Structure formats: C-alpha cells, structure tokens
Amino acid sequence: MSAASPAIPPGLRAGRAALAVSFLLQGTTFALLVTCIPEIQHRYGLSDALLPLFLAAVPILAGVGSITSERLVKRTGARAVLRVVQPLVCLSLAGVGLGGALWQLALALGAFGLLVGALDASMNMLGVGLQHRYGRSIMIGFHAAFSLGGILGAALAGLGSHYDLGLPVLFGTAAAVIAPLALLTGTRFAGPAELGDAVREAAEAAARSIPWRPLLPLCLAMAFAYIADASVSNYSVKYLTDGLGSAEDVAKLSYLGYMVAMLLGRALGDRAVQRWGAVPVVRAGAGLAALGFAVAAVAPAVWVGIAGFTVLGFGICAIIPQVFAAGGRLFPADSDAAVARLNLFNYVGFLIGSPLVGAIAGAGSYRWALLAPMLLVLAVLPLAERFAPAPALAPAAV
C-alpha cells in the first residue's frame, strides 16, 4: 500500500469499485451481443449483405448517444446518466433476443447503439473525475474490468450455444441478472460529495483547444487498432462458423481468447513499457497483431484460428493504451483534451472496420477479409516513433 493511500476517502474507494463493476457488466453485455452474431443472423434471416449495414449503424448511433449524453451530463451529472442508461442497455440486449422481424432487430440494435454511446461517455467521464481526485492513473484498471467482463460474456455465450438455450433465454436471462446488478451498483457511484468539481474540471480541460496536427499520427494509430478490434468483435465467431465449419459454442472461444489476451496484456503492459520503452512495445504489438491476423487467415483448423485471434489480442492491447499515454505526454497540461480527441477515433475504427471486413468477405471470403485489417495494423509500425517521449506542446489559442 502506498503512502498516499490513507488520504483516499472511503467514499472514493467505494465509487471506484462500483465503477469497475459497471465496466465489467458492460463488457459482459457487449461480449454477449457480438459473440452471438451468427445466432442473430439465423433468428432474423439477416443476409451477409445486410449484416455490415446493421453493424455499422451501431457505432454511428453510439456517437450520437455519446454527444447527447455530454449535454445531459451538464444538467444532471455523469452518475445520474450512468444509473439510467446501463440498465436500459441490458433491456435493449433482451430486445435483440426477443424479436423476430428485421424492423424489430433494427429498433433493438438502434437503441443498443444510442445507449452504449451514452454509457461509454458517462462511464469514462466518471472515471476521469475519479482519476482527478485520486491524482494518479486508474483508468487502465477500469478497462481491464471491461476485458474481464468480455471474458465472462463470451463464456456465457459459449455455454448458451452448447446447451442450445436460444437467444430469448440467453439474452433475457442475462438482462434479468445484469440490470438489477447495474441498478444496485449505481447506488454506490461517486457523486458531488466525493468528486466535488472534478468531473466539471475534467470536462473543461477536455474542451480547451489543442492543435490537431501533432495528434494526427496517434489518431491514425487509434483508428487502425480499433478497425482490428471491430474485425475481431464482429467477425471472429462468424469466420470460424462459416469459414472453418466450427460449432457455434467452440467458435465463441475466438473472442474469449482475444479478451483473455487483452486482459493479460493490460496487466503486464505498463511493466513492459517501463523496461523497454513505448516505441518497441508498440512496434511489437503491431507485429503481433498482424501475425495474429495472418495465422487466423490461413488457419487450416478451428483451433489454429482461435490461436490466431488470441495472439492478435496480445498485440492490440499494447497499442491502444499507449495512444492515450502518448497524447497525454504531448499535452501534459491538457491531457483530458488530448484523450477526448483521440477517443473519437475509437468510433471511426468501429465504423470502418465492420463494413470493410463484411464487404470483402461478401466479395471473396473471410480469409481475404482478414488481410485488410492486417495491413492496416501494420501501418502502425511507421507511426511508432510518435509514441516516444517528446517535448510537451502548448495548447492553441482559442
């Protein structure tokens, strides 16, 4: 325990634990949805041609939900928004499992996208506020909790397929369990009494003007990493079932292995950066990610494909946190503004990744489709020099 630990009030500790649980629940919910895409297609008769359109609509609406939630947070606070939207995300997941017509799927996925955007924004705003009060980095721990939830969600989806539960039972039961847990967790979120003006100060810092040009290489690296992530999230299970003839329960191990690798990589990544530096770690991560795509693309059997996606997880986990860290080093006095700007390319990556892989798979095969994100993640290699510590830059005049 550090010397500064006794100075942390119990209310802040409880708020941090509650927010970590919120991240975990969201990771579980998201993993349940993306690992059941083949079952969703079968239930609704959704063709491979239409699937990329439905998947692309989710990040677009998530961006709308994120922008809308920022306005709501100004009026009610991040805690209030998060308390409402997280249980509603669970209900929208249940809606995806209960419908039978395409218009019902469109409504359910549309609601899921809008709510996830609001959830993502409010969770991270609350996390940044807690980090300000702690006076040290704690955000990686929240995202590690999300990865742990992803492992749990993928495992539950695999069990659902193995025992042929069906989407109404699987998604309905998950929502019935997760929604009350989210409501209970929401009672422990940190509020004004614990955070004071930390959330407002973080939002004001994020709104300050900083120049785009120094951040552009990092923005590209973020987009390429999330294109890779979207490819795995939306198509790893489908590739194994349609491309390699896997059983649906076994195919879900592709996302499970990916999330396990992400969790382990996030647990060990800081030590690797401290020992070898950010540039070698990012280069190694890009190389590993490309290798994972290549192994998955040429996999002669299901287990080789699963191994490829697991290797890919070890690579991607090294890139994304270092993008945020490099942006913070460029603008230490306005790190929140840099992080907010870089986070936009999370949505850019998801918006490009799903349609790109889906279109190539429709024109050729999933093996060829996996090569597109592989080439894009290799483009991180020449950008790696931008992750090195550099002189801090001043924000631009407003």
Side-chain angles (χ1 to χ4, degrees):
M1 184 178 293
S2 66
S5 295
I8 303 298
L12 276 183
R13 294 182 185 278
R16 180 183 179 183
L19 188 59
V21 172
S22 181
F23 270 86
L24 184 145
L25 295 177
Q26 174 55 10
T28 304
T29 305
F30 185 76
L32 278 167
L33 180 73
V34 299
T35 54
C36 289
I37 287 175
E39 290 94 330
I40 293 171
Q41 270 195 286
H42 177 73
R43 180 174 180 83
Y44 289 93
L46 186 63
S47 68
D48 286 343
L50 283 177
L51 178 62
L53 298 178
F54 276 75
L55 295 178
V58 174
I60 292 174
L61 292 170
V64 174
S66 179
I67 294 170
T68 304
S69 71
E70 290 177 10
R71 298 176 180 176
L72 292 174
V73 166
K74 291 179 181 179
R75 297 180 179 181
T76 63
R79 177 175 66 171
V81 173
L82 183 53
R83 281 174 170 174
V84 173
V85 297
Q86 186 151 40
L88 291 179
V89 168
C90 300
L91 294 180
S92 67
L93 177 71
V96 172
L98 294 173
L102 276 180
W103 68 266
Q104 293 172 321
L105 176 63
L107 285 178
L109 282 180
F112 187 88
L114 285 169
L115 292 166
V116 161
L119 176 62
D120 180 57
S122 56
M123 279 198 310
N124 282 286
M125 287 177 193
L126 197 56
V128 169
L130 282 166
Q131 183 167 275
H132 272 241
R133 285 300 307 271
Y134 265 74
R136 56 186 171 87
S137 176
I138 59 173
M139 286 296 290
I140 292 177
F142 294 136
H143 289 275
F146 180 90
S147 298
L148 183 60
I151 294 169
L152 177 60
L156 290 174
L159 290 173
S161 294
H162 182 75
Y163 291 104
D164 198 23
L165 296 181
L167 291 183
V169 174
L170 179 62
F171 286 180
T173 303
V177 173
I178 297 174
L181 286 176
L183 288 170
L184 181 62
T185 301
T187 63
R188 305 303 301 273
F189 289 148
E194 295 82 18
L195 295 176
D197 292 331
V199 174
R200 178 184 58 78
E201 292 168 0
E204 289 176 353
R208 287 198 289 268
S209 178
I210 58 175
W212 269 104
R213 188 171 181 178
L215 284 175
L216 285 179
L218 299 177
C219 292
L220 287 174
M222 178 69 89
F224 295 153
Y226 270 104
I227 287 171
D229 184 74
S231 302
V232 180
S233 299
N234 292 324
Y235 286 104
S236 61
V237 175
K238 189 163 176 58
Y239 166 58
L240 262 64
T241 54
D242 293 3
L244 298 181
S246 169
E248 289 182 348
D249 54 349
V250 175
K252 297 192 183 349
L253 295 177
S254 60
Y255 190 75
L256 179 64
Y258 175 74
M259 294 306 289
V260 168
M262 290 276 280
L263 179 62
L264 292 176
R266 284 170 173 166
L268 302 175
D270 286 336
R271 294 182 182 180
V273 171
Q274 291 166 10
R275 182 170 182 178
W276 292 295
V279 173
V281 168
V282 169
R283 283 176 174 161
L288 270 179
L291 175 63
F293 272 122
V295 170
V298 302
V302 171
W303 292 104
V304 180
I306 293 172
F309 289 119
T310 302
V311 171
L312 202 163
F314 278 114
I316 292 299
C317 75
I319 298 172
I320 295 171
Q322 289 308 309
V323 170
F324 288 121
R329 286 194 296 269
L330 276 176
F331 299 97
D334 294 276
S335 59
D336 295 310
V339 168
R341 194 165 288 184
L342 290 167
N343 192 55
L344 292 173
F345 287 81
N346 168 352
Y347 295 111
V348 172
F350 267 96
L351 182 59
I352 295 173
S354 297
L356 176 66
V357 173
I360 297 175
S365 69
Y366 283 106
R367 292 186 186 274
W368 286 108
L370 291 178
L371 297 180
M374 182 194 78
L375 293 175
L376 289 174
V377 83
L378 281 174
V380 174
L381 289 174
L383 300 173
E385 291 293 339
R386 301 304 183 102
F387 289 78
L393 299 176
V398 178

